[in-house]
Amino acid sequence: MPFSGFDILIPVLVVLVLFLIFAGIKTVPQGYNYTVERFGRYTKTLSPGLNIIVPFIDRVGAKMNMMEQVLDVPTQEVITRDNAIVAVDGVAFYQVLSAAQAAYQVSGLENAILNLTMTNIRSVMGSMDLDELLSNRDAINDRLLRIVDEAAQPWGIKMTRVEIKDINPPANLVESMARQMMAERNKRAQILEAEGLKQAQVLEAEGRREAAFRDAEARERAAEAEARATQVVSEAIAKGDVQAINYFVAQKYTEAMAKIGSATNSKVVLMPLEASSLIGSLGGIGAIAKEVFGEDGQPVRPRHSTARTPSVTPDQPA
């Protein structure tokens, strides 16, 4: 049976419709956005999933990766404010927020971000001294992130992190820094040692002052006790108690003899006094003790008597 032209046209139309349908269906993977251009002009952005465009009129422009990406910053030399040359490298993390801006606002997105980061690394680190670079790396990272992120906003880019990986000064500069650090530590050690010696001397002086104060206080109390004892003896003599003066003289005599006998530089002691004088003084002490405590060793009450007891002095033999 011969086929007519209508019979041929129907399959051709079916195939053409199917081809148009498949040509207009676009599948966008997760993590990507596609831009759509109609006659070369941007019209819309295709999100992940199944999308339909007008075949032969619309076409896919740029396929933008919307995931966070990392960009390695190569090593470059930076001259610091104090004219030190250091080698610096880093790493930058960025994410595309607007596919249309990233595709049509800048040509060569990664190259633009790389050059922007390298330029700002030289600007930021070149305005600082070497000591600041080595000790304030976190501050440098924060400052770089703020500057680069602000510059990349028109491109639809969000800079998430900018990190300095390595800062390598020249070998001779590292050696000089090591000597400087050693000298600084020696200086601190000498200062601490001097402060410790000063503190020890202050404490020692305070200790001597406290000891002198206590010695003076002890001598003052001894003098007061001596004065009090002399006053008591004087009052006893004034009342007619002659035994008190015998006791006082015997006590002084005994102390003097003890000092003479305990001298280390005296092997032979010549005594111009009679030995009986000391015995007589001791007898006076015994008489005082009997008068105060009695014959049986019990204290007795004082008796008022007008009779004067003959005294025994150290100058008369007992």
Side-chain angles (χ1 to χ4, degrees):
M1 179 178 180
F3 292 97
S4 64
F6 182 77
D7 294 333
I8 298 175
L9 180 62
I10 290 177
V12 171
L13 291 176
V14 171
V15 172
L16 181 61
V17 169
L18 293 176
F19 176 75
L20 291 176
I21 292 175
F22 281 105
I25 294 176
K26 297 297 179 182
T27 303
V28 180
Q30 185 67 38
Y32 285 82
N33 280 356
Y34 292 174
T35 61
V36 178
E37 299 174 356
R38 179 170 295 178
F39 302 113
R41 181 180 180 181
Y42 168 77
T43 56
K44 64 180 180 178
T45 300
L46 302 181
S47 58
L50 185 64
N51 297 271
I52 299 177
I53 62 174
V54 179
F56 306 111
I57 297 177
D58 296 339
R59 72 179 184 90
V60 175
K63 298 179 180 180
M64 302 304 301
N65 187 348
M66 306 301 291
M67 295 178 288
E68 187 174 2
Q69 302 176 66
V70 58
L71 188 63
D72 190 26
V73 180
T75 304
Q76 61 178 333
E77 291 186 349
V78 177
I79 301 176
T80 62
R81 186 171 57 186
D82 52 353
N83 297 324
I85 300 177
V86 295
V88 181
D89 61 352
V91 61
F93 295 84
Y94 70 95
Q95 185 176 11
V96 177
L97 300 181
S98 175
Q101 288 180 299
Y104 303 111
Q105 293 293 331
V106 61
S107 177
L109 178 62
E110 288 190 359
N111 185 49
I113 296 175
L114 180 61
N115 283 275
L116 177 63
T117 304
M118 294 178 64
T119 302
N120 283 278
I121 287 176
R122 288 195 298 268
S123 299
V124 172
M125 301 183 70
S127 63
M128 304 174 68
D129 294 333
L130 179 60
D131 293 338
E132 294 178 321
L133 294 183
L134 299 177
S135 60
N136 297 324
R137 185 172 297 188
D138 291 339
I140 296 174
N141 294 336
D142 293 340
R143 186 176 174 184
L144 283 173
L145 177 61
R146 184 176 66 254
I147 295 175
V148 177
D149 181 60
E150 184 178 356
Q153 281 183 0
W155 303 340
I157 301 299
K158 174 63 179 176
M159 302 298 301
T160 56
R161 295 180 70 87
V162 178
E163 298 285 344
I164 299 298
K165 291 194 297 185
D166 294 319
I167 301 177
N168 300 318
N172 57 351
L173 186 58
V174 173
E175 184 179 355
S176 299
M177 292 172 60
R179 290 197 303 267
Q180 180 182 1
M181 180 183 63
M182 183 63 65
E184 183 67 23
R185 290 185 176 179
N186 291 335
K187 175 183 175 182
R188 293 180 181 176
Q190 292 175 359
I191 291 175
L192 291 176
E193 184 178 358
E195 289 181 352
L197 180 61
K198 175 184 175 182
Q199 187 68 18
Q201 292 176 351
V202 169
L203 292 177
E204 184 179 357
E206 290 181 353
R208 290 197 303 268
R209 184 183 67 177
E210 182 69 18
F213 175 77
R214 293 184 179 273
D215 290 342
E217 186 178 5
R219 290 194 300 269
E220 181 181 358
R221 292 184 178 179
E224 291 178 354
E226 185 70 19
R228 178 61 180 169
T230 304
Q231 181 182 0
V232 171
V233 172
S234 300
E235 292 178 353
I237 294 173
K239 293 179 180 179
D241 190 357
V242 183
Q243 296 296 338
I245 199 169
N246 290 335
Y247 174 77
F248 184 75
V249 173
Q251 181 184 13
K252 296 298 182 181
Y253 191 90
T254 306
E255 292 176 357
M257 293 298 295
K259 292 181 179 180
I260 293 174
S262 61
T264 58
N265 58 350
S266 299
K267 301 301 181 180
V268 178
V269 179
L270 299 178
M271 299 179 60
L273 301 178
E274 297 181 359
S276 59
S277 299
L278 178 59
I279 298 174
S281 300
L282 295 176
I285 296 174
I288 295 173
K290 289 181 180 181
E291 181 178 352
V292 175
F293 297 100
E295 295 294 340
D296 54 355
Q298 298 295 327
V300 296
R301 295 182 180 179
R303 292 175 297 179
H304 298 283
S305 174
T306 58
R308 299 178 61 91
T309 305
S311 61
V312 180
T313 62
D315 295 333
Q316 298 177 356

